Amino acid sequence: MPSEMTAYVVEEYGDPDVFTERRVDVPDPAPDEVRVEVAASSVNPVDYKIRQGAIPDFTPPLPATLGCDVAGVVDAVGDDVERFEEGDEVYGMPGGAGRQGALADYAVGHAGTFAHAPDSIPLEDAAALPVVALTAYEMLADKTTVDIGEDVLVYGASGGVGHIGVQLADWFGADVTATGSTEAKRDLAAELGADATVDYTTTDVADYVADHTDGAGFDTVFDPIGDDHLQTAFEAVRPFGSVVTTESSSTQDLAAMHANSLELGVVLVILPVLLGERQERIGAELADIAALVDDGAVEPVIDERFAFADVADAHRRAESGDFVGKLLLVNE
Ligand SMILES: NC(=O)c1ccc[n+]([C@@H]2O[C@H](COP(=O)([O-])OP(=O)(O)OC[C@H]3O[C@@H](n4cnc5c(N)ncnc54)[C@H](OP(=O)(O)O)[C@@H]3O)[C@@H](O)[C@H]2O)c1
């Protein structure tokens, strides 16, 4: 077992070129942790927001190893861990915010933040899932529920969270309307199960509410944009309906919630890792998601694969918004 490994770290905030390759100590797992030999990670907006210095409360200690998503093979198990053994193929969300992440040869984290990887997809592809699938799952199965035949509007339907949201809402039996700014993005949403698509850049809210719900409003609006965009979501939802979102760190007028007796659900998926509490929830949900993948309900769409050494290019592409699904980072 080597005592040192390669890690891609940020020592200061800045543009994507602040990533540097470093030799660092291989971490040992604590009694409640596992160590994973990393096969892959993926890019999430939280990674580039941390790198930019936009969310300092989420930054791991500098020099920071980013990367919240991980898939790999368990290579050491803490004394108190019973769920995993060496050689298990796992995926998880053990760090990358608040504590060191996965852009390294090995990552350690609380055993509760891992689950056995899906059997039906390559191990490295499983690294595209944890953050976005946990988020979409918590939005649709925890913060609200979706019944068969309900009208669900998915904004950002070709993005990381949205492309899983479309598939989950479809699996739950909803009538899914999905938004996208380009034909390619809308086509992907349709392939993933959306019954209808909307170019929100050229169509008013009132028009797509009229076209897809006969003017009644959507039962559930899935909004991985949030903040000011919540006002648009409030226009699209029906009275007594639900809006679920990932972003509410802004001052918003909640009058529409009162006027229409709405429910608002907000997810912060990484909170168990930041607090070091309820981390078993992550692994339990990832086990459910692995079963959904193996049942054919959910698949990750990977637009491009980058080597860890090219993480700066991956961040540039992620920040451009010119991609669909996920950008994978492979530990070559
Ligand atoms: N709170 C949490 O736990 C949590 C977890 C995961 C992600 N997030 C946050 O959720 C957001 C989405 O994450 P992601 O991984 O899905 O990002 P992503 O892969 O970059 O996708 C973002 C999507 O938003 C769409 N979009 C942007 N502006 C829009 C607008 N005004 N109206 C409709 N669609 C719009 C984009 O597609 P178009 O080209 O179609 O606009 C794109 O598909 C990020 O801010 C991320 O930080 C939060």
Side-chain angles (χ1 to χ4, degrees):
M1 181 69 214
S3 60
E4 287 194 339
M5 64 177 185
T6 301
Y8 295 86
V9 305
V10 299
E11 293 171 344
E12 57 181 342
Y13 298 128
D15 67 25
D17 294 316
V18 295
F19 279 105
T20 53
E21 186 181 314
R22 285 276 178 270
R23 296 294 292 170
V24 301
D25 291 342
V26 173
D28 287 321
D32 57 359
E33 293 181 338
V34 295
R35 183 172 65 209
V36 171
E37 187 174 4
V38 177
S41 183
S42 83
V43 185
N44 289 288
V46 67
D47 303 320
Y48 59 72
K49 290 176 186 176
I50 290 174
R51 194 212 71 230
Q52 292 163 350
I55 45 175
D57 291 349
F58 288 56
T59 306
L62 296 172
T65 303
L66 304 187
C68 296
D69 287 331
V70 65
V73 178
V74 174
D75 114 298
V77 177
D79 289 344
D80 297 343
V81 176
E82 295 179 353
R83 287 174 51 232
F84 298 108
E85 53 188 53
E86 282 178 40
D88 284 355
E89 295 192 345
V90 296
Y91 73 142
M93 191 184 65
R99 54 175 293 161
Q100 304 299 346
L103 285 184
D105 293 331
Y106 297 89
V108 294
H110 193 278
T113 63
F114 290 95
H116 291 99
D119 294 323
S120 57
I121 60 174
L123 178 60
E124 73 178 37
D125 292 13
L129 285 169
V131 169
V132 296
L134 286 163
T135 303
Y137 188 79
E138 290 185 13
M139 289 166 80
L140 290 176
D142 178 33
K143 296 300 177 183
T144 191
T145 51
V146 173
D147 287 331
I148 293 170
E150 286 191 345
D151 289 317
V152 175
L153 174 64
V154 178
Y155 286 114
S158 67
V161 176
H163 90 289
I164 303 295
V166 168
Q167 296 178 72
L168 279 178
D170 181 49
W171 179 257
F172 292 148
D175 194 339
V176 180
T177 300
T179 74
S181 64
T182 68
E183 194 173 343
K185 290 182 172 190
R186 295 189 293 277
D187 285 350
L188 174 70
E191 276 169 36
L192 295 176
D195 300 282
T197 61
V198 170
D199 180 354
Y200 72 89
T201 67
T202 58
T203 316
D204 288 338
V205 184
D207 289 335
Y208 56 79
V209 166
D211 288 348
H212 300 293
T213 71
D214 291 330
F218 292 88
D219 297 296
T220 296
V221 176
F222 180 99
D223 177 21
I225 320 300
D227 289 338
D228 292 350
H229 195 262
L230 280 172
Q231 301 302 330
T232 310
F234 294 154
E235 285 179 58
V237 71
R238 67 161 166 76
F240 310 106
S242 297
V243 174
V244 284
T245 189
T246 56
E247 295 296 326
S248 63
S249 43
S250 61
T251 302
Q252 295 297 320
D253 184 348
L254 299 181
M257 287 190 65
H258 179 254
N260 281 318
S261 193
L262 302 179
E263 287 186 60
L264 175 64
V266 186
V267 168
L268 179 55
V269 77
I270 200 77
L271 190 61
V273 176
L274 293 175
L275 296 180
E277 291 174 18
R278 306 185 191 199
Q279 297 189 85
E280 294 77 9
R281 170 192 174 132
I282 295 171
E285 291 178 354
L286 284 174
D288 290 347
I289 291 162
L292 288 166
V293 173
D294 289 336
D295 279 352
V298 170
E299 60 169 332
V301 172
I302 295 166
D303 188 316
E304 189 172 356
R305 292 162 199 266
F306 298 83
F308 276 10
D310 298 325
V311 59
D313 292 337
H315 272 223
R316 264 187 281 276
R317 183 144 192 232
E319 288 172 88
S320 79
D322 183 19
F323 67 97
V324 294
K326 293 290 296 178
L327 304 175
L328 202 70
L329 292 162
V330 180
N331 190 19
E332 290 182 341

